């Protein structure tokens, strides 16, 4: 049986339903993710676009990533919470902030990126693949 998960913004107006398991769960320590989340890192799960259904009114903010790619961030038009994003470079995946699922049993990250910007007190488990 295929796993179905629901993610939503703070007010519940913008919702995403995923089917199947994420192809990647990662933690990003880049400064842009720190600013976007208001936390010391961002954690996201990537799903194939065909496995994601989106419902609700949204706004888009486009920024250039540290790698030089344009990324479209989709956030709730009412409460402002980011619910999903994707690169404009034909990436076949949609990234969803793990916190939007509000599920403490969500699968843990397998990758940690931009670790040179990681706050020194943050500890990532040793079984996670680490990238500077």
């Amino acid at each position: 049986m295929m796993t179905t998960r629901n993610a939503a913004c703070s007010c519940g107006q913008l919702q995403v339903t995923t089917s199947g398991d994420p192809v990647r769960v990662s933690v990003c320590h880049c400064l842009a993710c720190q600013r976007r989340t208001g936390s010391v890192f961002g954690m996201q799960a990537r799903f194939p676009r065909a496995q994601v259904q989106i419902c609700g009114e949204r706004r888009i903010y486009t920024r250039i990533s540290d790698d030089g790619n344009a990324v479209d961030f989709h956030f709730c038009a009412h409460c402002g919470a980011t619910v999903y994003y994707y690169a404009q470079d034909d990436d076949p995946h949609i990234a969803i902030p793990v916190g939007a699922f509000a599920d403490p049993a969500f699968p843990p990250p397998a990758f940690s990126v931009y670790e040179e910007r990681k706050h020194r007190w943050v500890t990532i488990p040793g079984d996670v693949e680490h990238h500077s």
Side-chain angles (χ1 to χ4, degrees):
M1 187 166 139
M2 191 169 288
T3 303
T4 299
R5 293 182 173 91
N6 297 303
C9 62
S10 297
C11 72
Q13 185 277 140
L14 180 57
Q15 299 182 17
V16 173
T17 300
T18 63
S19 57
D21 291 325
V23 296
R24 176 177 171 165
V25 180
S26 59
V27 174
C28 181
H29 304 278
C30 80
L31 300 179
C33 278
Q34 291 181 35
R35 286 187 182 106
R36 176 181 58 82
T37 64
S39 183
V40 297
F41 56 81
M43 185 171 166
Q44 54 279 327
R46 295 186 190 280
F47 292 86
R49 289 180 189 232
Q51 292 176 225
V52 177
Q53 293 183 334
I54 301 162
C55 178
E57 186 182 355
R58 58 206 168 260
R59 299 284 185 266
I60 301 171
Y61 170 72
T62 302
R63 77 165 172 82
I64 304 303
S65 72
D66 288 353
D67 294 336
N69 299 319
V71 180
D72 289 339
F73 291 84
H74 296 251
F75 59 95
C76 176
H78 300 277
C79 71
T82 300
V83 178
Y84 65 98
Y85 56 96
Y86 50 81
Q88 291 181 355
D89 65 359
D90 294 327
D91 184 347
H93 300 102
I94 290 180
I96 301 169
V98 171
F101 290 100
D103 177 5
F106 199 89
F111 298 89
S112 177
V113 298
Y114 289 101
E115 288 197 337
E116 70 274 8
R117 297 183 181 141
K118 179 173 66 73
H119 287 236
R120 68 175 182 246
W121 55 267
V122 172
T123 304
I124 302 297
D127 61 342
V128 171
E129 193 173 314
H130 301 267
H131 299 274
S132 292

